[in-house]
Amino acid sequence: MDYRHEWKFEISRGDMLSIRQRLRAVCGTDAHATNGRYRVRSLYFDTPTDTALWDNQNGVSRREKFRIRYYNGELGFIRLEKKSKYAGLGRKDCAALSAAEAQAITDGRLDWMMASGQALVQELYSKMRMQLLRPKTIVDYTREPFVYAPGHVRVTLDYDIRTCLGCSDFLNAACPMLPAPDAPVVLEVKWDEYLPSVIRDAVQLPGCRAEAFSKYVLCRAYG
């Protein structure tokens, strides 16, 4: 998968209502969404010295984060993902995990990973051994996705961002979650070679500029 362009905006609930209406007029919805939305839960990894956290905070041009993710509490579709950034462009690599495999990684039972046959699982294993990557924070939020075929555009509205003090209950949809402090609505726009003007116009807000934003960084306020 090639690197893609990506914009992120922190917006208000009022702005979200306005942009939602514009996007509904020009975009399609994600086939996996129910009533136009779904719940996302991710478990993020970092080193003992918080390399991913500080690389993001310091705006390091080339950086990466590992996470495990599933949707709507359904454990039949779990993905290991590596998010990479380079010079403002983004890339995501994925590998499928079973619930048992995801729990094993969360618990630190790693020996099976090199024999998994999946390059990304093997890469995480190597970095958990050599860089001491470990689960750090659960991030949970509601996402409204919109798609536009020209330019392979995907626009998302993310809100109700919540987190958890521990990581062992990652696969328990009922584990207690806390609202992330001062969490905004996050508007994300991703595209390949070009961004059609109809989408550019739909996401424009007066005085609002694209900026770096990380839900992982936000949720690390709890530890």
Side-chain angles (χ1 to χ4, degrees), residues 13-189:
R13 291 271 176 167
D15 291 334
M16 179 179 72
L17 296 177
S18 174
I19 287 178
R20 177 194 283 153
Q21 291 302 111
R22 296 183 217 163
L23 291 171
R24 284 177 174 172
V26 296
C27 292
T29 57
D30 190 307
H32 301 291
T34 301
N35 296 322
R37 61 179 61 90
Y38 50 77
R39 197 76 185 169
V40 182
R41 177 167 293 182
S42 301
L43 176 64
Y44 283 87
F45 293 73
D46 213 333
T47 67
T49 56
D50 291 328
T51 300
L53 176 68
W54 290 111
D55 281 356
N56 191 283
Q57 292 280 65
N58 295 327
V60 173
S61 177
R62 187 186 291 272
R63 60 186 189 268
E64 66 183 28
K65 288 196 296 278
F66 282 86
R67 68 192 181 202
I68 299 174
R69 170 170 288 189
Y70 64 102
Y71 303 87
N72 292 328
E74 296 293 335
L75 302 185
F77 186 86
I78 304 174
R79 291 292 181 266
L80 170 64
E81 300 180 348
K82 182 176 77 168
K83 285 291 298 290
S84 304
K85 283 279 195 174
Y86 178 64
L89 300 176
R91 170 189 172 105
K92 183 169 69 174
D93 297 286
C94 303
L97 294 175
S98 68
E101 290 169 340
Q103 189 64 57
I105 294 173
T106 304
D107 294 341
R109 293 180 279 111
L110 312 178
D111 291 343
W112 61 274
M113 296 174 70
M114 282 304 292
S116 71
Q118 299 196 79
L120 190 59
V121 175
Q122 294 167 343
E123 181 181 351
L124 177 60
Y125 172 81
S126 296
K127 291 179 176 178
M128 292 184 78
R129 290 300 191 196
M130 300 183 69
Q131 299 178 13
L132 302 182
L133 276 182
R134 292 294 183 269
K136 285 280 186 172
T137 300
I138 298 173
V139 177
D140 188 279
Y141 57 92
T142 296
R143 165 163 285 180
E144 295 186 24
F146 301 86
V147 294
Y148 191 78
H152 190 205
V153 178
R154 183 174 176 83
V155 184
T156 54
L157 295 165
D158 298 339
Y159 51 92
D160 292 342
I161 303 171
R162 303 173 72 83
T163 188
C164 182
L165 293 175
C167 297
S168 60
D169 274 350
F170 171 62
L171 298 181
N172 176 11
C175 75
M177 304 292 290
L178 300 169
D182 302 317
V185 176
V186 182
L187 167 65
E188 296 187 11
V189 187

